[in-house]
Amino acid sequence: MAAGSLPNSGIPASNPVGAGVVNSGVSNSGRTAIDIMIPVIGPSGGGKSTFIKNVFERLGEDSRHIAVDDGFGSCTLKLAAHSLYIPDDVADQHNIPQGSRLVFVDTPGFDNPVIYDSEVVSLMADWLASG
């Protein structure tokens, strides 16, 4: 696996601390750390990137690497993965292994003036098939 990319995806991980970490062996009652993948899908200009940025900010994580448009335009033209570690206390509350990550996959929007919907679907299908 290339450093700085998510396993089996070819998608660069935007969180350098968590880049490439999967099944790290950190256990919680015999459970192994996992990545919880969350594709964020919707119309172009619908706020997908802003949603991800807001989640990072709410959790006190650095969100400067997440590009957002200041209006209702489209800013995401390819898949982008943004990962953060789940805090241990939250992991314990929800029976998730410690050391696990949330990985938000930002996708280009539908009805995008720059990329056809069929290309968006193809990008997502290729990503899903690679995992």
Side-chain angles (χ1 to χ4, degrees):
M1 168 177 35
S5 67
L6 294 176
N8 301 322
S9 70
I11 301 172
S14 62
N15 182 349
V17 173
V21 176
V22 90
N23 295 332
S24 64
V26 177
S27 69
N28 180 16
S29 301
R31 294 172 287 149
T32 303
I34 58 171
D35 283 343
I36 300 171
M37 309 299 271
I38 305 170
V40 182
I41 302 168
S44 185
K48 296 176 298 301
S49 301
T50 300
F51 166 74
I52 295 169
K53 187 176 189 73
N54 288 341
V55 168
F56 271 66
E57 289 173 357
R58 177 71 172 102
L59 294 174
E61 297 286 332
D62 183 12
S63 66
R64 291 175 289 175
H65 61 281
I66 303 171
V68 296
D69 192 304
D70 56 0
F72 292 99
S74 176
C75 66
T76 304
L77 298 177
K78 59 183 179 177
L79 298 181
H82 306 284
S83 62
L84 55 89
Y85 284 99
I86 300 170
D88 289 345
D89 60 328
V90 174
D92 289 341
Q93 284 179 328
H94 297 285
N95 202 30
I96 299 169
Q98 290 183 359
S100 296
R101 297 186 308 164
L102 289 177
V103 182
F104 293 91
V105 182
D106 199 359
T107 62
F110 293 108
D111 293 329
N112 189 314
V114 179
I115 183 172
Y116 292 112
D117 287 353
S118 59
E119 292 176 74
V120 173
V121 171
S122 180
L123 284 171
M124 289 187 283
D126 289 346
W127 175 75
L128 287 169
S130 70

